[in-house]
Amino acid sequence: MTFVQNSKREKNENYKIPWHVALYVRLSKEDGDKIESDSIQNQKRIIEQHLKHLREQGENIASVIAYSDDGYAGGSFDRPGYQRMIADIEAGKINCVIFKDNSRLGRNYPELGRLMEDYFPQKGVRVISVLNQIDSLKNPQSYCSAIVSFSNIMNDDYIRQLSLKIKCTFAMKRERGEFLGNYAPYGYIKSPEDRHRLVVDPEAAEIVRLIFRWYADGISASGIVKQLNALQIMPPSVYKTEKGCKGFGNHSSGGVKRNVWALTTVNSILKDEVYIGNLVQGKFKSVSYRSKKMVPADESEWTVIEGAHEPIITDEIFTIVHGRFARHTRTAPENQASYLLSGLVKCASCGGRMNRNVSNGHARYRCMTRIFAPEKCQCPSVKEALLEEAVLQAVQGQIQELVDAKEVIDAAGKETPGERSQNEYLLALNRAEQEKKRLTEAKFRLYDNLERGILDQDEYTQLKAGYKAEIAAQDAQIERLQKSLADRKEARKQDDEFIAFFKKHGSIQAMDRDVLNHLLDHIEVSDSRHIDVYFKFSAERKKSSTSQRTSRI
């Protein structure tokens, strides 16, 4: 009897406690088709109804402060509304937290368990989960029960499963060539008809072309930044904001604040395959389904779709630009252009780079291996003037071979002895396709013959396997012929490009970076008497060679 009286007295004492309530609501896209039932307004109605019920029971609800996180996932607790609630608990302003159900507080099982089993009890905070029928004051046993823990585990598993589904959906969209970024790259906009497709923005695209053209002509990235700022061209972040792209100002890392171009912006544009029509996505991935933190993904995990949209830059210009990046070309002091041979010179002994060095007013190219590890290479340095003279002579030698451009073009069109003509390839391809069609139709007729009793089961199986093997052989033949035709077309295209370049420039008496970027692959130096120049194309192209070597002794 005494125990019952003490229990009643304790219960009456609880009703006298003034409760300063934190009304917490949360909603995110992860709630899927439950958005209506879990809407912020609906959550508040459910909670307010429960608070009304507590008041009717005699509880002292002294104050109620609402904390809302609309658009925040439950896997992370880095939410503004939640953080303000925790700050008020630490300040002693809150001694009761109420939410619709456990999933609204969070779906991260380890963190949710820490909060409910450790943090809230230590802070003396009463916890009420309306739909889970949890009240840490009235029913402590249910608050720490296995059922509650299991519910939290299920909430955590929900976001894990949802994360997998979202990743699969995104992967399929990327494979279909759909653009999934929040903002279109500079130079493009999202198509009004399909926001997952990129279309060219003429105004910004012209600036992109200018950047690539300047860099291909030998101007350094830092020099391009200076020119863009001198011309007062709006940087991408400002341009996007001016065009009404909401939220881009917060997305930018500083361009909007400074209103100027940055070196990182120019470099990222020059390296981006999006400008030749390729869509490269999946470069970053999340650390965990519980976290929004992103880390770089391995290049093998990227999704690359070629020809996904209209290009702004030609493949030729993009190749030249990336060739310069690979060479790490240097810029002359107080000049915006690179040195003439910068990034092109290699040591013939060790294969290492040779960098330009000026001593006593004379410029020479020295092997970096010899400077830093002389025991591994003893390649002598070579004068810059001597190198430039050798390269000029090599280029002029190529011009001499192509004096009669028409004769070279005609010669390129002739077939070499023992090699099939293009017409022969086309005829063979047509024959192979017709034969495949005949075999496929015959294979389809087999089943009819089986049904009519013309063939028994063993004959049907044997003939079907034979047709299948013959069709596979024709497929292989078709693939070989198509590849041969494509190789011929590419070889002729590169020869035509080589000839067209010399027709455009005529007799070259002085070199510049544009000429070298178009023609040279690299220069190898053994010593001042042995300099080898490797061209990207050859006057008489052979399948086994993609460069021509010209030696000066």
Side-chain angles (χ1 to χ4, degrees), residues 20-27 40 43-44 47 64-70 80-89 93-94 96-99 104:
H20 300 280
V21 180
L23 185 157
Y24 183 75
V25 291
R26 181 190 65 81
L27 182 68
I40 295 296
Q43 290 179 57
K44 286 183 177 180
I47 295 171
V64 178
I65 303 176
Y67 302 86
S68 176
D69 283 316
D70 195 355
Y82 170 82
Q83 293 296 337
R84 284 191 293 106
M85 181 179 74
I86 293 299
D88 286 346
I89 290 174
K93 298 178 182 179
I94 300 296
C96 176
V97 174
I98 184 170
F99 35 85
R104 297 306 91 202

Side-chain angles (χ1 to χ4, degrees), residues 9-71:
R9 188 180 302 113
E10 183 179 350
K11 186 175 180 179
N12 292 333
E13 289 295 325
N14 289 336
Y15 284 145
K16 296 178 182 179
I17 298 174
W19 296 110
H20 300 280
V21 180
L23 185 157
Y24 183 75
V25 291
R26 181 190 65 81
L27 182 68
S28 76
K29 293 180 181 178
E30 71 184 21
D31 297 300
D33 58 2
K34 299 190 301 176
I35 290 180
E36 180 62 31
S37 63
D38 276 339
S39 68
I40 295 296
Q41 293 76 14
N42 193 58
Q43 290 179 57
K44 286 183 177 180
R45 281 195 296 268
I46 292 172
I47 295 171
E48 287 168 353
Q49 185 67 29
H50 190 77
L51 289 175
K52 179 182 178 183
H53 175 67
L54 293 179
R55 289 189 181 96
E56 290 173 350
Q57 288 185 329
E59 297 212 30
N60 182 11
I61 308 299
S63 64
V64 178
I65 303 176
Y67 302 86
S68 176
D69 283 316
D70 195 355

Side-chain angles (χ1 to χ4, degrees), residues 400-413:
Q400 189 62 38
E401 293 181 19
L402 298 171
V403 170
D404 190 346
K406 184 178 184 301
E407 180 181 339
V408 176
I409 293 171
D410 292 341

